[in-house]
Amino acid sequence: FGAAVDDTAKKEVTIDITAPPPGATCSPACFGTPNVKVKVGTKITWVNQSTTPHTVTAIKGGDPSKEVPDPSVFDSGAGSLIQPNATFSYTVTQAAYDANKDHTVIYYCQIHPGMLAMLTIVP
């Protein structure tokens, strides 16, 4: 996921969902910022700037190869896809901070499982 972009000073953060380069797929991610460091209480808004729908779904646990959705943290939902030019917002909770011992939450797109990104959460 690379080093976290430190956005802990911001109360609101935007993460773009972008299209892959021509001929490529969203692997590892079409999330504009693959690792963001945020505080509990930060509002994150994902903006779908691609031409296909996506989800933003937290993974239960810390293993990105085991893509088990964790709606108790956040899940935009496969039933209500984030359409092109649409957004999904989530305010980081204490539950997200507590979800894993290292205070990270890996998330992915249920339609494109290779799309992975991470939140690093501080109190």
Side-chain angles (χ1 to χ4, degrees):
F1 298 103
V5 172
D6 189 342
D7 278 342
T8 54
K10 296 181 179 177
K11 297 210 180 300
E12 294 191 15
V13 173
T14 300
I15 299 174
D16 292 329
I17 301 171
T18 59
T25 59
C26 286
S27 184
C30 282
F31 293 109
T33 313
N35 187 354
V36 180
K37 185 177 189 178
V38 293
K39 286 185 173 181
V40 171
T42 302
K43 180 181 178 184
I44 301 172
T45 301
W46 287 268
V47 179
N48 187 355
Q49 296 185 342
S50 77
T51 57
T52 57
H54 296 283
T55 75
V56 176
T57 306
I59 290 177
K60 191 176 292 256
D63 184 349
S65 68
K66 294 189 172 121
E67 292 170 342
V68 177
D70 191 351
S72 70
V73 178
F74 62 87
D75 182 5
S76 64
S80 55
L81 300 173
I82 307 167
Q83 297 297 328
N85 300 313
T87 63
F88 171 74
S89 294
Y90 162 74
T91 299
V92 180
T93 63
Q94 187 67 36
Y97 175 79
D98 294 336
N100 295 302
K101 285 185 166 84
D102 63 357
H103 308 295
T104 63
V105 173
I106 297 170
Y107 63 94
Y108 74 115
C109 172
Q110 290 181 346
I111 301 168
H112 309 98
M115 280 179 65
L116 293 166
M118 182 165 68
L119 301 178
T120 301
I121 304 167
V122 297

